[in-house]
Amino acid sequence: MGSVLFRRIGELVTNDPAAGEGPLGVLHDAALFVETGRVAWTGPDDAAPQGAGDEVVDIAGAAIVPGFVDSHTHMVFAGDRATEFAARMAGRPYAAGGIETTVAATRVASDSELSGTLARLTAEALRAGTTTFECKSGYGLAVEHEARCLRLARAVTEETTFLGAHVVPGEFAGRADDYVALVAGAMLDACARFARWVDVFCDEGAFDADQAGVVLDAGRARGLGARVHANQLGHGPGVRVAVKARAASADHCTYLSDDDVELLAGSATVATLLPACDFSLRAPYPDARRLLDAGVTVALATDCNPGTSYTTSMPLCIALAVRELHMSPEEALAAATLGGAKALRRDDVGHLRHGARADLAVLDAPTYLHLPYRPGVPLVGATWKDGARTPPTGR
Ligand code: NIG
Ligand code: FE
């Protein structure tokens, strides 16, 4: 693997306060040296290692940010729910039951159809600067289908999450506890080897606190880390369940009580906010300011799925976080990079400190401020992962 020297970077966001200005560790007129896929040096351009780099890339004054870490997606599915979206925009409420539509389509889809969708969405995310992403199962809801979805997800990311407890499938209607026993038993047995994480949708219309606890405990007993879909549709026990399970992340957090905020602040559980989901549901946005001001670590993620958030765009999430969640551009970029890494308990991504994976996005813009300032514009000119341009064209 060759070395690469990035020269004339107008603004380099390292997320290393020791390397540059402010919490984002910003350097101006900078250079970045990458060796064997890792960050080997950052500093002023005029101090760049002379003659270094098998390849020298002239950034010509543009900005570089760490690659986005999208810590919450559901990208293994078939079909789409555009008509459900249109009906919702005409006033029909969202209910978790829409998940069943995707489950039916996913179960009859071939492996190659599911992998094709995954490949298309992965490529789309990469073009928009995402270099690490998590991917959940949850549209199979039967032993062989959940295992198949995770096996396919594993082929595109190591951050795979078992979400057998997404909703109770139709064939178990009225027998939720039997389904929970299946999830926590035979389904986990078949799925655990393809997963790093276990997740549960703990909300009205999905699973209650006791059922969620059973699933998370069973997952943790098999060595999986916990994450929870919490407090999306209303006030409820999700955050409490997540903190009790020492989950890496409580996701959505749209409806929070004072107790929930306090619990999160006193824990190592990241609050992962999914503003593109709230946008697509025309739901209220979470109170990010309250979380940040209480000292909670916040991540931003897309929640990419065909029902509530059919987008792979982390720049969109950043724009929404700034405009609608009242996060500063600095907080939003940190949440979309370092915050996502913390939600996945990773320290090799989400920043460009010495030794980090050389995962980065070159912006067609002079500053990261353009991410929220120019919403809806494809601002990522090139994405580099492990020190390689992906795809191998562009700036
Ligand atoms: O994160 N909340 C649960 N799961 C997804 C929605 C899935 C769907 O509607 O298909 C979410 O929003
Ligand atoms: Fe989700």
Side-chain angles (χ1 to χ4, degrees):
M1 187 184 289
S3 58
V4 187
L5 179 62
F6 296 88
R7 300 282 318 253
R8 298 208 302 146
I9 307 166
E11 181 183 84
L12 174 63
V13 174
T14 63
N15 277 344
D16 177 8
E21 288 164 22
L24 295 183
V26 178
L27 291 160
H28 296 280
D29 303 319
L32 166 71
F33 183 49
V34 170
E35 225 172 4
T36 55
R38 299 275 176 161
V39 174
W41 181 89
T42 55
D45 187 61
D46 55 16
Q50 286 305 310
D54 300 331
E55 183 183 357
V56 177
V57 182
D58 182 2
I59 298 300
I64 287 184
V65 299
F68 302 121
V69 179
D70 187 352
S71 60
H72 183 140
T73 84
H74 309 243
M75 298 204 293
V76 201
F77 64 83
D80 89 24
R81 283 152 59 193
T83 37
E84 180 189 311
F85 172 77
R88 204 159 64 231
M89 292 304 104
R92 209 171 122 197
Y94 173 74
I99 293 169
E100 281 277 5
T101 310
T102 303
V103 171
T106 304
R107 285 180 179 176
V108 298
S110 66
D111 283 13
S112 67
E113 193 180 338
L114 295 176
S115 294
T117 299
L118 255 177
R120 173 174 64 80
L121 294 174
T122 305
E124 197 177 276
L126 204 55
R127 274 201 302 278
T130 297
T131 46
T132 301
F133 67 95
E134 179 262 18
C135 183
K136 302 172 198 299
S137 65
Y139 291 120
L141 308 189
V143 174
E144 74 275 26
H145 291 296
E146 283 295 300
R148 174 170 82 122
C149 289
L150 281 168
R151 176 172 52 76
L152 297 174
R154 217 347 111 79
V156 294
T157 181
E158 63 203 274
E159 300 296 345
T160 49
T161 301
F162 170 60
L163 181 59
H166 200 179
V167 286
V168 177
E171 58 274 21
F172 279 84
R175 294 188 297 127
D177 286 338
D178 290 347
Y179 182 63
V180 169
L182 175 70
V183 170
M187 201 182 279
L188 248 172
D189 285 337
C191 290
R193 69 190 176 107
F194 301 118
R196 178 168 183 229
W197 303 99
V198 57
D199 193 348
V200 55
F201 185 12
C202 183
D203 230 313
E204 200 60 43
F207 297 91
D208 66 22
D210 291 342
Q211 295 164 336
V214 169
V215 172
L216 295 177
D217 286 349
R220 288 162 72 218
R222 286 166 175 82
L224 307 185
R227 10 196 5 96
V228 179
H229 275 73
N231 303 47
Q232 175 191 4
L233 303 178
H235 287 281
V239 165
R240 212 175 342 111
V241 166
V243 171
K244 185 165 172 244
R246 298 177 187 277
S249 176
D251 299 49
H252 286 282
C253 296
T254 307
Y255 296 88
L256 294 179
S257 67
D258 290 347
D259 284 354
D260 292 329
V261 175
E262 206 174 305
L263 275 172
L264 286 166
S267 77
T269 301
V270 172
T272 299
L273 309 183
L274 310 168
C277 172
D278 305 309
F279 173 81
S280 298
L281 291 181
R282 205 177 270 145
Y285 288 104
D287 193 344
R289 281 263 54 90
R290 193 167 158 214
L291 289 164
L292 288 161
D293 295 345
V296 176
T297 301
V298 168
L300 287 169
T302 63
D303 195 17
C304 179
N305 77 79
T308 63
S309 189
Y310 200 2
T311 181
T312 49
S313 174
M314 290 294 280
L316 171 68
C317 297
I318 291 172
L320 289 171
V322 172
R323 172 63 181 84
E324 303 291 341
L325 275 61
H326 302 274
M327 291 170 71
S328 68
E330 183 177 89
E331 288 168 336
L333 179 60
T337 51
L338 206 51
K342 287 180 178 163
L344 294 173
R345 302 234 162 119
R346 293 274 299 266
D347 58 16
D348 57 334
V349 296
H351 60 87
L352 297 171
R353 283 197 297 273
H354 185 252
R357 281 181 193 278
D359 292 356
L360 53 92
V362 182
L363 304 185
D364 280 334
T367 164
Y368 76 88
L369 292 174
H370 279 223
L371 288 164
Y373 172 53
R374 304 201 61 218
V377 175
L379 275 193
V380 175
T383 305
W384 291 69
K385 188 165 163 53
D386 293 319
R389 197 190 268 108
T390 33
T393 55
R395 189 200 289 271

PDB file of all heavy atoms in Angstrom, residues 78 103-110 113 145 148:
ATOM      1  N   ALA A  78     -35.656  -5.106   0.990  1.00  0.00           N
ATOM      2  CA  ALA A  78     -36.140  -5.060  -0.393  1.00  0.00           C
ATOM      3  C   ALA A  78     -37.395  -4.194  -0.447  1.00  0.00           C
ATOM      4  O   ALA A  78     -38.055  -3.985   0.576  1.00  0.00           O
ATOM      5  CB  ALA A  78     -36.449  -6.472  -0.890  1.00  0.00           C
ATOM      6  N   VAL A 103     -40.698  -6.300   5.643  1.00  0.00           N
ATOM      7  CA  VAL A 103     -40.376  -7.682   6.004  1.00  0.00           C
ATOM      8  C   VAL A 103     -40.889  -8.636   4.914  1.00  0.00           C
ATOM      9  O   VAL A 103     -40.159  -9.522   4.451  1.00  0.00           O
ATOM     10  CB  VAL A 103     -40.982  -8.045   7.382  1.00  0.00           C
ATOM     11  CG1 VAL A 103     -40.848  -9.541   7.662  1.00  0.00           C
ATOM     12  CG2 VAL A 103     -40.308  -7.234   8.482  1.00  0.00           C
ATOM     13  N   ALA A 104     -42.114  -8.412   4.462  1.00  0.00           N
ATOM     14  CA  ALA A 104     -42.693  -9.296   3.440  1.00  0.00           C
ATOM     15  C   ALA A 104     -41.848  -9.253   2.162  1.00  0.00           C
ATOM     16  O   ALA A 104     -41.539 -10.295   1.566  1.00  0.00           O
ATOM     17  CB  ALA A 104     -44.139  -8.881   3.155  1.00  0.00           C
ATOM     18  N   ALA A 105     -41.440  -8.060   1.749  1.00  0.00           N
ATOM     19  CA  ALA A 105     -40.639  -7.925   0.519  1.00  0.00           C
ATOM     20  C   ALA A 105     -39.245  -8.530   0.700  1.00  0.00           C
ATOM     21  O   ALA A 105     -38.698  -9.161  -0.222  1.00  0.00           O
ATOM     22  CB  ALA A 105     -40.528  -6.451   0.139  1.00  0.00           C
ATOM     23  N   THR A 106     -38.681  -8.371   1.881  1.00  0.00           N
ATOM     24  CA  THR A 106     -37.311  -8.851   2.132  1.00  0.00           C
ATOM     25  C   THR A 106     -37.276 -10.383   2.141  1.00  0.00           C
ATOM     26  O   THR A 106     -36.347 -10.999   1.608  1.00  0.00           O
ATOM     27  CB  THR A 106     -36.790  -8.278   3.472  1.00  0.00           C
ATOM     28  OG1 THR A 106     -36.874  -6.849   3.410  1.00  0.00           O
ATOM     29  CG2 THR A 106     -35.347  -8.703   3.742  1.00  0.00           C
ATOM     30  N   ARG A 107     -38.289 -10.982   2.739  1.00  0.00           N
ATOM     31  CA  ARG A 107     -38.286 -12.451   2.834  1.00  0.00           C
ATOM     32  C   ARG A 107     -38.308 -13.119   1.459  1.00  0.00           C
ATOM     33  O   ARG A 107     -37.735 -14.191   1.282  1.00  0.00           O
ATOM     34  CB  ARG A 107     -39.488 -12.924   3.664  1.00  0.00           C
ATOM     35  CG  ARG A 107     -39.300 -12.697   5.154  1.00  0.00           C
ATOM     36  CD  ARG A 107     -40.521 -13.178   5.915  1.00  0.00           C
ATOM     37  NE  ARG A 107     -40.369 -13.008   7.356  1.00  0.00           N
ATOM     38  CZ  ARG A 107     -41.326 -13.279   8.240  1.00  0.00           C
ATOM     39  NH1 ARG A 107     -42.513 -13.708   7.835  1.00  0.00           N
ATOM     40  NH2 ARG A 107     -41.107 -13.107   9.525  1.00  0.00           N
ATOM     41  N   VAL A 108     -38.983 -12.501   0.495  1.00  0.00           N
ATOM     42  CA  VAL A 108     -39.067 -13.155  -0.825  1.00  0.00           C
ATOM     43  C   VAL A 108     -37.955 -12.697  -1.772  1.00  0.00           C
ATOM     44  O   VAL A 108     -37.853 -13.203  -2.889  1.00  0.00           O
ATOM     45  CB  VAL A 108     -40.451 -12.946  -1.499  1.00  0.00           C
ATOM     46  CG1 VAL A 108     -41.555 -13.572  -0.652  1.00  0.00           C
ATOM     47  CG2 VAL A 108     -40.738 -11.471  -1.761  1.00  0.00           C
ATOM     48  N   ALA A 109     -37.131 -11.759  -1.344  1.00  0.00           N
ATOM     49  CA  ALA A 109     -36.055 -11.266  -2.222  1.00  0.00           C
ATOM     50  C   ALA A 109     -34.902 -12.260  -2.267  1.00  0.00           C
ATOM     51  O   ALA A 109     -34.639 -12.968  -1.290  1.00  0.00           O
ATOM     52  CB  ALA A 109     -35.556  -9.918  -1.711  1.00  0.00           C
ATOM     53  N   SER A 110     -34.200 -12.289  -3.395  1.00  0.00           N
ATOM     54  CA  SER A 110     -33.019 -13.157  -3.508  1.00  0.00           C
ATOM     55  C   SER A 110     -31.828 -12.501  -2.815  1.00  0.00           C
ATOM     56  O   SER A 110     -31.823 -11.289  -2.580  1.00  0.00           O
ATOM     57  CB  SER A 110     -32.677 -13.379  -4.983  1.00  0.00           C
ATOM     58  OG  SER A 110     -32.269 -12.145  -5.552  1.00  0.00           O
ATOM     59  N   GLU A 113     -30.484  -9.727  -4.945  1.00  0.00           N
ATOM     60  CA  GLU A 113     -31.279  -8.500  -4.909  1.00  0.00           C
ATOM     61  C   GLU A 113     -30.941  -7.688  -3.642  1.00  0.00           C
ATOM     62  O   GLU A 113     -30.719  -6.475  -3.707  1.00  0.00           O
ATOM     63  CB  GLU A 113     -32.761  -8.900  -4.901  1.00  0.00           C
ATOM     64  CG  GLU A 113     -33.717  -7.776  -5.181  1.00  0.00           C
ATOM     65  CD  GLU A 113     -35.179  -8.262  -5.157  1.00  0.00           C
ATOM     66  OE1 GLU A 113     -35.414  -9.477  -5.342  1.00  0.00           O
ATOM     67  OE2 GLU A 113     -36.059  -7.426  -4.931  1.00  0.00           O
ATOM     68  N   HIS A 145     -34.043 -15.833   7.906  1.00  0.00           N
ATOM     69  CA  HIS A 145     -33.997 -14.537   7.218  1.00  0.00           C
ATOM     70  C   HIS A 145     -33.119 -13.534   7.952  1.00  0.00           C
ATOM     71  O   HIS A 145     -32.388 -12.759   7.337  1.00  0.00           O
ATOM     72  CB  HIS A 145     -35.408 -13.987   7.035  1.00  0.00           C
ATOM     73  CG  HIS A 145     -36.220 -14.778   6.065  1.00  0.00           C
ATOM     74  ND1 HIS A 145     -35.883 -14.880   4.731  1.00  0.00           N
ATOM     75  CD2 HIS A 145     -37.324 -15.541   6.234  1.00  0.00           C
ATOM     76  CE1 HIS A 145     -36.765 -15.650   4.116  1.00  0.00           C
ATOM     77  NE2 HIS A 145     -37.641 -16.081   4.999  1.00  0.00           N
ATOM     78  N   ARG A 148     -29.575 -14.545   7.301  1.00  0.00           N
ATOM     79  CA  ARG A 148     -29.195 -14.218   5.931  1.00  0.00           C
ATOM     80  C   ARG A 148     -28.901 -12.718   5.798  1.00  0.00           C
ATOM     81  O   ARG A 148     -27.880 -12.314   5.215  1.00  0.00           O
ATOM     82  CB  ARG A 148     -30.337 -14.606   4.982  1.00  0.00           C
ATOM     83  CG  ARG A 148     -30.125 -14.181   3.556  1.00  0.00           C
ATOM     84  CD  ARG A 148     -31.159 -14.803   2.644  1.00  0.00           C
ATOM     85  NE  ARG A 148     -32.424 -14.100   2.633  1.00  0.00           N
ATOM     86  CZ  ARG A 148     -32.986 -13.600   1.534  1.00  0.00           C
ATOM     87  NH1 ARG A 148     -32.374 -13.755   0.374  1.00  0.00           N
ATOM     88  NH2 ARG A 148     -34.147 -12.997   1.594  1.00  0.00           N
TER      89      ARG A 148
END
